[in-house]
Every structure is written in structure tokens, then in C-alpha cells.
Amino acid sequence: MKLATYLGRLRRKPKAQAQQRLIAHKGVPVALIAVFLIIAVLIGMVGGLGSLPLLMIIGGGTIATLLFFLVDAYGLLLSLFLMTFVIQGSLLYFFRLRSATWVAVGMAMLFFLSILMRRTLSNKQGMPRPSSSGQGVALATVMFLLCFVVSIVLNRPAALQIVSGIKSHLPMFSVLLAFYWFSWGEQKVERIWNMLLIVAVLQLPVVLYQHLFIATARTYDAIVGTFGGSQLGGGNSSIMVLFAITMMTYAIARWNVGLMTAKRMVLIAFVSVAVILLGEVKATFLWVPFALFWVLRKRIMRNIFAMVGYIVIIGAFMAATYSVYAMLYWGKAAEKGTTISEKFEARGGYFFDPDNIDYRTGEVGRGASLAIWAQDPQASVARRLLGYGPAASKNGAFGPGTIAKRYAPLNVDATTVSVLLWEVGIIGAAAFGFMIVGGAWLSHRATKATNLTPQQSAILETCTPMLIILTSTLLYNRSVVEEPTAQLLLMFTLASVVQIARFGSLEWKRRPLLKTSRSRSVNMVSV
């Protein structure tokens, strides 16, 4: 009797446990629904105040916090790309919310906290062991971050200036650190790149709307897609064009290795060229030919006919681009000058002019911004090497930095190089530059591996020219140290290279010369 009673209890116990688990699982959605209802009421109360910026800040912060607790690190990473390349720029442009950049910055910070917790709590024994590749990029990154910290200690700027400097420089480094620390898998990385192709296609209808209904002859810089800016003063058109070139290069690289059909590649290339033509960025005359030559160099150098075909296509592109720019944007300015030097000066030769300063508007030319830094009368050796502190040259939402105050009303932060020289000095600027150049070299070296998958090859063939092009932007504008869109584009290209180099288990052929020398040494020993 006792045995029968005991067996009966054992049969009833699993049923009771199953019912308890079922009740527990039913209770989780109820709790989440209650939380969402409370949040909805809170956001509704804020919305009733009639302040759209306050609603966006509180609502966006609440949603981001929920994503942090409910979504894994990869989901946060995808959210970061959407927030940066689509949402924050649209809020800034169409709703004129100047605080919209904090949406992308906040999401990047949440992502950093997520990967930091994963790094701290994860079991490293079960993780794939990375190779030693990418140490040069890591060293340059650490050197830049160290200069950032030392510059703060040396200059002791105001707290708000430090916050402004952190916001401008650091959040998107979380992507590079995440790809350096963890293996994300080839499929997940490919999914991000393919998602960005959709974002690139999305730019065309937005750009057409901006061209037809918003931009005028005086505000053609207002064509920025979803990358943010002002409807009156322009914005991130150069970053939109760089993004379009990146995605066009990636589509061609995928087609080149057999991962994309010719029709789809031509469609993406057509959309990208349309965005480039409507974006009006003069540097495309150099960027596009270089990117296309790099990704197709093996086909182009195969025979004379391929070379002639490339020259014809690039010639047609440059002629069409010049014609469209002259007709839509430059107007009579395109007719200025009779000699080649005069025409060059009218189109952009002022870039090199160290005296190109407009004291009425405060606008400072690119060459002039470097000349002002070189002639700084208060510079010491320490400040030449390590700068005046983060955000010293900025006129941001938290007020002007120390250098911006001194040279007001001039905007001395015209380029990334001038910003870095003022804020983190020669050492910090050199470290930042070496980080990008080192990534390009690492990408080029990785393309020579014998065991690359087609997807890895397409990514590397895209990242190498784009990192070189991004290096040229250091003297073109200051977006890389100011705009989340430019920073994420830079860090993601760097991160993709580092991910493949460290976790791709790459193998290289040994050089024949080394084999020969080794065989000779063995023969000499045997004799």
C-alpha cells in the first residue's frame, strides 16, 4: 500500500510542476503587458504637454531601455543601424529636432553596456579563439582613446565640455570593440550588410522628394536623404553620397564573386548613381572611379578591351555627373573662368587657400583651419602633442569649447584633422589616422587569404577602397568626429575587416622564395 501510494504521488508531481510552469509562462506576458500599459500612459501624459521634443526624448529613451532588457546584443546592433541611418536623421530633418542625434548616441551607449556585460559575464572557454590579426588597428585605437583621456586630465575642461566630447567621439567605437571581442558569425554580418543595401535603396524616394519639394537653387545642400540636416542650411549630403558609393561597391563586389545577379546589381548601381547625382558632392569625381577600379581591378587588368571599357564607363559617368551638377546646382558658377586654373579655383581650388576666411559668417576654409592651428600663439609642446581637450573646438549644444571661444565667431573646426589637432593633438590625430589606414592595409592583406568565402571576399573588397576614401574625408569635412552616421559607417567598415581577420581562420600561401630558402637550408644541414 505504501509503495502504491508513493508511485501515485510521483505520477501526480510532474503534472503539478507542469501546471506551475504553464502558469509562470502565462504570467510573463501579463507582466509585460502591464509594463507597456504603464509606459503608454506615461508617454500619453507627456504628449499631452504639447512638447514634441520632450515626447521624443522620453519616448525614445523608454523604448531604447526596453530594447536593452528584451533584445539580445545582435538585436541592439540592428536597432543601432536603423536608429542611426534612418530614424535619427529623419527626425532631425523633417521634424527639426536638434536633439535627435542623441537617439543614435543613446542606442550606441546601450549597445556598449550590453557587450561589456557579455564580455564580463561570458564563459571565455566556450568562445572561439581569435587570431592575432588586427593588433595594429587595436593598438592605434587604444592610443587614440588614451590621448582622449590624457587630454582631459591635462586640460581639465568643464564637465559639459567633456560630455560633449564623449558624445562626439566615442559612442560608435562600441561597434569596433564588439567585433574585435566576439565572433558574430558570417551570416549575421552578411545580414547587416544586406540590410544596409535596403537602406541605400530607400534613399532614392527620399532624395527625390527633397529635390522636388524642399530644395531650392540656394539650398541644394538640403538633399541629404535620411542622414540628417536642415531644410534651410543643408546637412550630411557628403555622408549620404559616401554611403551610396559604399553600397554600390558592395553590390558590385557581390556580383563579382557570384553572390548577386547582374540585374539586381545594375538596379542597386542605378539607384546609387541617382542618389550621387542628386547629392552634389564634388569629391565623387575621384571617389567613384577609385572604388569601381579597386573592386573590378582583376577584370579590368585582364585585357586591353576591359581597360577600354572601364575608361569609357568612367568617362561617361564623370561627364554625366558634371552636366547634372552644372545644370541643377552650379548654374552660372559653372561658366566662371576661362583657363583650367581659373575653373579649378571656381570649383574647389579654395580648398587649399590658407587665407579663405569669411569674418562676416565665421566660415573657415579647410586649408585655413589648419593654418590657424599652426599659427596658434598659445600653443605649448604638451598642447601641440595632446591638444586642448575633447570638444575644445566645438560650438555645440552645451556651449562653445575653450578654442571655439577664443576664435569666435570663426568656426575653426572645419575638418576632422583640424578638430583632432585642436582636441587630442598630433599624437591623437596620428593614432586616429593610423587606425583607418591600418584597417585598409589589414583588409587588403586579408583578401590574399586562400580560404576566404565569397561573402568575406565581397566585404573585404568593399572595405579596402572605402577605408581609403574615408581617410581622404579627414581633410574634407568634420563628419567623422561629429555625425553619428559618418562614425557608424567608418566603424562598421573597420569592424567588418577586424571580424574577418580575427575570427575568419584565414590561411595564406607561403611565398615561393621562403620555400626555396628553407629547402636550401635543409639540404645544407643534411650534407
Side-chain angles (χ1 to χ4, degrees):
M1 290 293 294
K2 292 183 178 180
L3 180 61
T5 304
Y6 179 73
L7 291 176
R9 289 178 180 175
L10 286 179
R11 292 190 188 98
R12 290 192 297 269
K13 190 174 182 180
K15 293 182 180 180
Q17 290 178 348
Q19 289 178 354
Q20 291 176 357
R21 285 195 297 266
L22 184 60
I23 293 172
H25 284 296
K26 285 183 178 180
V28 172
V30 172
L32 288 178
I33 290 173
V35 171
F36 280 117
L37 285 175
I38 295 173
I39 292 172
V41 172
L42 175 63
I43 294 176
M45 293 172 63
V46 174
L49 298 176
S51 175
L52 184 59
L54 183 62
L55 176 62
M56 291 295 180
I57 292 172
I58 294 180
T62 304
I63 293 172
T65 305
L66 286 174
L67 286 174
F68 177 76
F69 289 105
L70 300 178
V71 180
D72 60 1
Y74 183 67
L76 286 175
L77 183 61
L78 295 177
S79 302
L80 174 61
F81 280 95
L82 289 176
M83 289 284 186
T84 304
F85 288 131
V86 179
I87 296 176
Q88 67 96 18
S90 300
L91 291 174
L92 180 64
Y93 186 88
F94 293 103
F95 295 94
R96 301 179 182 179
L97 293 175
R98 295 179 61 86
S99 58
T101 54
W102 283 98
V103 174
V105 171
M107 183 59 68
M109 291 179 176
L110 287 177
F111 177 67
F112 175 72
L113 291 176
S114 175
I115 62 170
L116 189 62
M117 291 174 59
R118 180 181 172 186
R119 177 75 175 175
T120 305
L121 301 177
S122 61
N123 184 10
K124 297 181 180 180
Q125 294 181 353
M127 298 172 62
R129 188 174 182 179
S131 70
S132 60
S133 299
Q135 297 296 330
V137 176
L139 180 61
T141 304
V142 171
M143 182 62 68
F144 171 76
L145 297 177
L146 184 62
C147 289
F148 188 92
V149 174
V150 172
S151 183
I152 293 176
V153 175
L154 177 66
N155 295 280
R156 298 181 181 180
L160 289 179
Q161 183 178 322
I162 296 175
V163 172
S164 179
I166 292 174
K167 170 184 175 290
S168 298
H169 290 279
L170 300 186
M172 296 305 169
F173 273 91
S174 60
V175 177
L176 179 59
L177 292 175
F179 279 60
Y180 182 85
W181 283 339
F182 306 111
S183 173
W184 292 83
E186 184 177 343
Q187 291 183 348
K188 289 184 177 180
V189 177
E190 180 182 5
R191 198 175 301 147
I192 296 174
W193 278 93
N194 293 341
M195 181 184 71
L196 295 183
L197 285 176
I198 299 174
V199 175
V201 174
L202 176 65
Q203 300 308 306
L204 183 57
V206 179
V207 164
L208 286 174
Y209 173 80
Q210 292 170 343
H211 177 76
L212 295 175
F213 300 104
I214 296 178
T216 64
R218 292 180 297 174
T219 61
Y220 54 80
D221 285 340
I223 302 175
V224 296
T226 62
F227 284 75
S230 170
Q231 297 184 13
L232 299 177
N236 298 327
S237 56
S238 62
I239 304 304
M240 177 192 67
V241 168
L242 264 178
F243 184 83
I245 295 173
T246 304
M247 292 301 104
M248 179 175 66
T249 306
Y250 175 61
I252 295 173
R254 282 179 63 85
W255 166 78
N256 195 40
V257 296
L259 293 178
M260 182 177 287
T261 62
K263 291 182 179 179
R264 186 169 296 180
M265 182 271 291
V266 170
L267 174 63
I268 294 174
F270 173 79
V271 170
S272 300
V273 169
V275 171
I276 292 168
L277 292 178
L278 293 172
E280 203 276 317
V281 176
K282 300 178 184 68
T284 55
F285 287 105
L286 298 176
W287 291 344
V288 172
F290 172 71
L292 294 186
F293 176 80
W294 184 273
V295 76
L296 296 175
R297 63 191 182 280
K298 294 180 181 178
R299 289 178 180 263
I300 293 172
M301 303 301 292
R302 186 176 299 169
N303 54 60
I304 188 64
F305 298 104
M307 176 66 75
V308 172
Y310 168 78
I311 294 173
V312 169
I313 293 173
I314 291 301
F317 168 79
M318 295 181 73
T321 303
Y322 183 88
S323 300
V324 171
Y325 283 1
M327 179 178 63
L328 294 180
Y329 306 119
W330 295 342
K332 293 182 178 180
E335 302 173 2
K336 288 183 179 180
T338 55
T339 65
I340 294 177
S341 60
E342 290 175 349
K343 290 182 178 293
F344 173 76
E345 181 68 24
R347 305 298 178 276
Y350 54 84
F351 177 95
F352 303 98
D353 186 2
D355 300 318
N356 183 25
I357 300 174
D358 190 334
Y359 290 94
R360 182 177 57 86
T361 62
E363 185 176 357
V364 176
R366 298 171 177 94
S369 66
L370 297 177
I372 292 174
W373 174 84
Q375 298 168 6
D376 178 21
Q378 300 182 18
S380 62
V381 174
R383 283 175 170 166
R384 285 293 190 194
L385 295 177
L386 296 169
Y388 286 85
S393 62
K394 284 182 62 66
N395 282 293
F398 297 109
T402 54
I403 296 300
K405 287 179 182 178
R406 192 207 302 176
Y407 286 96
L410 300 182
N411 298 315
V412 296
D413 57 341
T415 66
T416 298
V417 172
S418 60
V419 170
L420 292 174
L421 288 174
W422 281 118
E423 298 183 4
V424 291
I426 296 174
I427 298 176
F432 193 87
F434 278 122
M435 179 183 67
I436 305 175
V437 174
W441 172 251
L442 178 64
S443 179
H444 176 57
R445 182 173 177 271
T447 57
K448 299 178 181 180
T450 58
N451 61 334
L452 282 177
T453 65
Q455 176 61 27
Q456 291 173 336
S457 179
I459 291 175
L460 293 174
E461 291 290 355
T462 301
C463 291
T464 303
M466 292 316 303
L467 285 172
I468 296 173
I469 290 173
L470 284 165
T471 304
S472 71
T473 65
L474 301 183
L475 287 169
Y476 187 77
N477 56 34
R478 61 176 182 269
S479 298
V480 173
V481 289
E482 186 176 63
E483 297 296 335
T485 49
Q487 293 168 346
L488 183 56
L489 181 61
L490 169 63
M491 290 302 164
F492 181 58
T493 50
L494 266 177
S496 298
V497 173
V498 169
Q499 177 74 185
I500 294 173
R502 282 177 59 79
F503 297 99
S505 302
L506 303 185
E507 298 175 358
W508 286 270
K509 288 183 179 179
R510 293 182 179 179
R511 297 178 181 178
L513 181 61
L514 293 176
K515 287 184 178 181
T516 305
S517 61
R518 287 177 181 176
S519 62
R520 287 178 180 175
S521 62
V522 171
N523 290 335
M524 290 177 63
V525 172
S526 62
V527 171

